[in-house]
Amino acid sequence: MAHNRTLGRSGIEVSPLGFGCWAIGGEWQSTDGQPLGWGEVDDDESVRAIRRALDLGVTLFDTADAYGTGHSERVLGRALGKHRGDVVVATKWGNVFDERTRIREGQDDSPEHVRRALTASLRRLNTDHVDLYQLHISDADPERAAQLRDACEELVREGLIRAYAWSTDDPDRAAVFAEGPHCAAVQHRLNILQDAPELLALCAESDLASINRSPLAMGLLAGKHTAGRPLDDGDIRNAPPAWLPGFIANAGADPVWLRRVDALRSILTSDGRTLAQGALAWIWARSPRTIPIPGFRTVAQAEENAGAIAKGPLTAGQMADVDRILGR
């Protein structure tokens, strides 16, 4: 069984698995029409999935103000309702968007924007505080980030947030936030195909949690993709930006990546796991600080992901087999 984890030095305890709420935001776009969501979504099903996750012991929900230009936060707030006090809510700031047109218009890294964004997020989430507030500009200027870190410390003092983090894949940037007393985590990409040893080392050195986005490699490790099958027009994976490997524009999953998944299949599906559950088990075995946050859109996905908790991490022998297969 995978055991509960702590958000770094904050002392905030969470389930070993969080749920990522990007997909339930529905469709949204950049100013040039690039899809930024995962296609159409059924809000009632999203609410049912969140409530099912609560029943199954999931206590961390990670969203962002930009997901669906506010829509994900609204759906999460609606789903949690009277259970808000039982869970840890993480959201993010840094993007500027129009809720009406569902377009992301740019970014704002000013200290003044932090409070504006938080005020709006609290309203959409229907809560009086955020447990973990995360900078959503992965490549923000480090000197500017130091000012944002100080702004977050002020929000902690006021009781509006309990802790903060940076969502970035750059260890040097993450280290800037790590200097703040109430920094509790780094959110970064981590999955069996895309390891992050430097960030995991930083988390160990600085006593931070490692919150893992893309734990299923944007769905490649869920076992539902075949090569050459395009995705919906409103799905970001159908027109993947440079930071999203593993997919080919208008052609679905990259066959090279699918072959890697196939090579790992027998290990990941051992001990009665589904492929996705095995991928989450690898993350738990990788470090005692990891908290994967797979996305979901249905009750069935919520049940499958949460079902990984009971099966726990991979063994040391299985981890060694993975490294051998991947040539690491």
Side-chain angles (χ1 to χ4, degrees), residues 72-281:
S72 174
E73 288 185 330
R74 291 184 187 281
V75 171
L76 180 60
R78 172 186 152 198
L80 292 178
K82 66 180 187 298
H83 297 289
R84 169 64 184 98
D86 305 327
V87 302
V88 171
V89 171
T91 192
K92 309 180 193 77
W93 93 94
N95 289 289
V96 181
F97 50 85
D98 185 326
E99 284 199 53
R100 191 178 45 81
T101 59
R102 297 184 79 118
I103 290 174
R104 187 190 72 179
E105 297 170 330
Q107 295 177 323
D108 188 339
D109 68 353
S110 69
E112 297 75 29
H113 180 66
V114 183
R115 189 176 295 271
R116 277 198 303 271
L118 178 61
T119 302
S121 285
L122 292 173
R123 188 179 67 246
R124 285 187 292 262
L125 288 161
N126 193 28
T127 186
D128 62 358
H129 74 282
V130 163
D131 298 289
L132 185 69
Y133 203 37
Q134 302 162 105
L135 175 58
H136 206 186
I137 306 175
S138 61
D139 59 351
D141 176 76
E143 287 183 21
R144 176 70 89 155
Q147 297 176 1
L148 300 177
R149 178 194 67 210
D150 295 343
C152 285
E153 285 291 336
E154 179 60 32
L155 296 172
V156 172
R157 282 193 289 275
E158 293 178 35
L160 295 172
I161 65 174
R162 294 172 72 193
Y164 56 88
W166 193 343
S167 178
T168 181
D169 292 319
D170 179 355
D172 293 335
R173 283 183 164 84
V176 173
F177 259 39
E179 291 174 18
H182 293 91
C183 181
V186 182
Q187 182 168 144
H188 63 93
R189 181 175 63 199
L190 180 71
N191 60 65
I192 195 170
L193 301 172
Q194 297 168 294
D195 199 0
E198 289 181 18
L199 279 157
L200 291 173
L202 173 72
C203 289
E205 288 160 16
S206 302
D207 191 14
L208 302 175
S210 160
I211 298 178
N212 313 125
R213 60 179 136 76
S214 296
L216 304 179
M218 302 291 279
L220 290 174
L221 291 161
K224 309 286 195 297
H225 291 277
T226 53
R229 193 178 73 200
L231 295 149
D232 295 341
D233 286 343
D235 191 320
I236 190 170
R237 296 168 296 180
N238 202 48
W243 57 262
L244 204 173
F247 293 88
I248 298 170
N250 302 308
D254 184 335
V256 174
W257 284 62
L258 288 175
R259 283 195 291 275
R260 284 182 208 145
V261 173
D262 277 337
L264 297 165
R265 191 177 299 272
S266 63
I267 297 172
L268 297 184
T269 56
S270 61
D271 307 313
R273 294 181 177 95
T274 65
L275 187 66
Q277 289 171 345
L280 298 172

Side-chain angles (χ1 to χ4, degrees), residues 5 13 22 44 85 88 214 238 276 289 298 309 311:
R5 307 221 157 175
E13 190 174 290
W22 180 7
D44 290 337
V88 171
S214 296
N238 202 48
R289 296 178 173 275
T298 65
I309 297 174
K311 295 183 167 64

